[in-house]
Amino acid sequence: MKKRSNIILLKGLILGTAFFFNPVAATAQENGEDMIRIQAEDYTKITGNVTIRENGEDFPIKGGDNEDTEKTTTMYLEDAENGQFLDFSDPITDISSYEHTIPEGQDSASWKVNVSKTGVYKLTFSYNNPATAWDGHRNARDERNCRIVINNEDNLLSDDGWVGWMIFNVSGYNDPTYDQSILQEPSTVTGNKVWNENYMNVYLEEGENTISLAIQAPPGQAVFDGPNLDYIDLEYLQEDFVSEEEIPYLTADHSFKHPGIFYTRADLERIKANKEDLTTVEGKGYQEILESAHSSAEYQPNPVQKIDVGPYNNPNIGGTEFTNDGNAAHYNILRWYMDGEVENAKTAIKILNEWASTLTEVTDGNDLKLRFSLVGPDFVNTAEILKNIYNNDPTINEEDKWQEEDIAKFDSFLKNHLLEKTSSFYPQANGNWDALIGAFNMASAVYLEDIDLFNKSLRQFYLGNVTGGNVSSMGALPNYVYSSGESQESSRDQTHARMGISGLAYQSEVAWNQGLDIYGAYEDRLLMGTLYSASYVTNHSVESNTFISDKNRNQADISSMVYEIVGNHYKNETQTDQELDVIDQAAATTLREVTTVNEGKQKASYFGAMLFSTTPPESVKLNYTGIKTIKKGKKLELIPEISPIGANSSNIQWSFSKDGIVEIDETNRLKAKSVGITKVTATTTNNKTASVTIRVTK
């Protein structure tokens, strides 16, 4: 096991258009080499209803403390730095539907900034967002109401220079008098006058750059009011990122391990060995699969010719069918492995074949990337078992196997429909998108043995810059999880925050199963984010710079899979000095001890625990048959005979009395390079007996 560096986490923390020109450009020389502050009122250009306000000056808001939500009232702010702030937009009076929204692009502001270094910068926005439409509308604690554009102030609604939407949430949670154990009520936050912060990372070139904000609702949402902006800070972060040379890219001769996506052969054997024991997580998870209609060999797939999924599933053409069938394929192939019923495997084959033969059109629906990323792993995990285990089973008749022509069709379906949509990622969206997209892309890369796609996913995980330009994806690990453990979507709601770190956890597990450790990236940043999230959802107070949202704080849903993945990894695979009980507690309260359903609406309280729990490795001395030392120049082959895993298990970890004398081949057999082996120890998982045969060859 590898010992990690400690992580410090405190106990308990855990369209009329008007143009105005103001020739002010903030510079590094004014504010220090690595920190630049831009006062919001020092814009170089504004459009629409954007107004400079003075401290204490009344400005209109929708509703506020007034019980009549149809009335526009006023409030005022104080303590803006330099006595002024920028008020974005007049409030909408009709908030009955998200279709009533401030016209996109109508209200905007731009600022010039000179930076002395090229690289990633953190933009910190100091703002107040009045509690407009607090009662359940889309911008209640979820108001991503400004598009951020870099170096393109003339066309703010084009893709050129667009780096993402900014979350300007309802203000108020940074008030130190707020008790985090109490759910916020509208009366607590309406009219709140506290200034808050939120962040986005972008890539800037040395010299002058333009930063612009333009009112725009993301698809399916509305903007009922704009934020009040005090200032923007730019902090140089490039030195906090790893260099590209430090990313553990797969080499051109990498040999993919199969199955090696969400689980290994040893994981499947562990589940199979415990499936009848309902006191184990394996037994409970297996029972959930048995009870699901999606695991029946009689399940009939429902493929569609065209799939189109829009914002918030509007429209939803084929999305439900894709989800249910992917879930059913995965459940059926797991049933085959656990029970040996060929009919289950044939049903899984039928589902994959019919989708590969039927789907011909994938639209530009906004949420298709997310749908494919949430459900696509079901399809590729199924294909992984069929191709690499089922088809190699000598007891299966040839006519019952997944045929080569069908495999080719599925591979084409995966490449030309699903990956065609996801391989470009979606870095402008909130970070949970790219985190989950990265997991699907990485899973697909393993199945397809696509080194380039796998490495592209690693690059996005570490740096977030695969699309180039000024974008630094908030779905990259160092962008999504801050050094404090708080995440980019902590202030939005806890479901999305968990989705994001779950996507990063899935990627880490896939990489681990391929022999790469990215769990430890950025000094165990993923563990830090998991501990932070787990602390908050289990009702501990946490430090928050972005006024963490209590929305969905204790809600049970499948987004909590991160607690199973990361918790089990650090308990059983990698040592840490961190206290992990809070992660167990979070897994219990948001997954296991409640009725949790997956994307296909099937009960999955223990599904993640079943897949990602591991038995702590057990050290055993292997018995010898043959000699223990050989002459230099001879080859020594150690042939492991471990039951029930098998001789080629990738879970065998060898150690020797002398280092640097043994090479390990692709079948996990060992060849000595010199003499001197006097003791051999193996670490295995779920083994009952172990022995080794030593053979000497020329």
Side-chain angles (χ1 to χ4, degrees), residues 230-294:
D230 187 9
Y231 57 79
I232 305 171
D233 279 343
L234 282 76
E235 181 181 1
Y236 185 70
L237 290 186
Q238 189 62 50
E239 294 174 356
D240 294 341
F241 284 70
V242 301
S243 65
E244 189 169 351
E245 291 73 24
E246 295 175 89
I247 300 175
Y249 287 130
L250 299 182
T251 59
D253 61 350
H254 177 78
S255 178
F256 282 94
K257 299 176 176 63
H258 300 290
I261 300 178
F262 285 178
Y263 39 76
T264 65
R265 184 70 174 265
D267 291 322
L268 293 172
E269 282 296 305
R270 169 181 51 78
I271 298 168
K272 186 175 182 178
N274 293 295
K275 69 174 187 175
E276 303 296 341
D277 187 352
L278 292 181
T279 67
T280 66
V281 295
E282 292 89 353
K284 292 174 182 177
Y286 173 73
Q287 189 63 34
E288 289 176 346
I289 292 177
L290 283 184
E291 294 172 355
S292 169
H294 285 186

Side-chain angles (χ1 to χ4, degrees), residues 124-397:
T124 298
F125 296 88
S126 176
Y127 72 95
N128 174 285
N129 195 16
T132 302
W134 172 259
D135 54 349
H137 291 87
R138 294 193 188 277
N139 70 338
R141 285 183 271 182
D142 184 11
E143 189 165 356
R144 294 166 289 163
N145 55 10
C146 277
R147 163 188 280 241
I148 297 183
V149 180
I150 304 296
N151 296 332
N152 182 16
E153 60 184 322
D154 295 325
N155 191 356
L156 297 180
L157 297 181
S158 75
D159 288 343
D160 185 17
W162 173 41
V163 295
W165 286 290
M166 187 59 210
I167 301 179
F168 289 121
N169 303 83
V170 170
S171 301
Y173 291 82
N174 268 346
D175 188 333
T177 63
Y178 166 53
D179 182 352
Q180 288 188 3
S181 66
I182 301 174
L183 190 69
Q184 279 284 359
E185 297 293 337
S187 60
T188 311
V189 292
T190 49
N192 193 287
K193 300 174 183 178
V194 176
W195 294 99
N196 295 289
E197 292 183 351
N198 222 329
Y199 318 111
M200 178 177 286
N201 293 345
V202 300
Y203 186 86
L204 299 178
E205 297 283 350
E206 177 185 350
E208 186 175 85
N209 293 267
T210 301
I211 300 171
S212 301
L213 295 184
I215 291 284
Q216 184 193 43
Q221 297 189 46
V223 178
F224 301 124
D225 197 0
N228 301 288
L229 189 63
D230 187 9
Y231 57 79
I232 305 171
D233 279 343
L234 282 76
E235 181 181 1
Y236 185 70
L237 290 186
Q238 189 62 50
E239 294 174 356
D240 294 341
F241 284 70
V242 301
S243 65
E244 189 169 351
E245 291 73 24
E246 295 175 89
I247 300 175
Y249 287 130
L250 299 182
T251 59
D253 61 350
H254 177 78
S255 178
F256 282 94
K257 299 176 176 63
H258 300 290
I261 300 178
F262 285 178
Y263 39 76
T264 65
R265 184 70 174 265
D267 291 322
L268 293 172
E269 282 296 305
R270 169 181 51 78
I271 298 168
K272 186 175 182 178
N274 293 295
K275 69 174 187 175
E276 303 296 341
D277 187 352
L278 292 181
T279 67
T280 66
V281 295
E282 292 89 353
K284 292 174 182 177
Y286 173 73
Q287 189 63 34
E288 289 176 346
I289 292 177
L290 283 184
E291 294 172 355
S292 169
H294 285 186
S295 73
S296 170
E298 303 300 317
Y299 182 90
Q300 295 299 312
N302 296 280
V304 297
Q305 290 183 312
K306 172 184 176 180
I307 187 168
D308 182 12
V309 181
Y312 300 91
N313 292 319
N314 183 24
N316 183 13
I317 301 171
T320 299
E321 291 84 353
F322 177 80
T323 299
N324 290 338
D325 286 358
N327 187 212
H330 198 189
Y331 275 16
N332 267 275
I333 199 59
L334 289 174
R335 281 287 304 273
W336 167 76
Y337 194 96
M338 302 307 154
D339 303 334
E341 295 292 338
V342 174
E343 292 305 312
N344 285 111
K346 291 166 70 174
T347 296
I349 292 171
K350 181 179 180 181
I351 294 171
L352 268 54
N353 288 352
E354 290 196 12
W355 272 92
S357 300
T358 304
L359 184 65
T360 59
E361 181 181 358
V362 175
T363 71
D364 291 327
N366 183 78
D367 282 18
L368 263 182
K369 286 187 178 185
L370 192 57
R371 175 67 55 173
F372 287 166
S373 299
L374 288 168
V375 181
D378 280 333
F379 281 88
V380 293
N381 275 296
T382 301
E384 179 85 342
I385 294 179
L386 284 170
K387 184 177 180 179
N388 298 292
I389 301 180
Y390 177 78
N391 273 9
N392 294 326
D393 189 330
T395 68
I396 305 298
N397 296 326

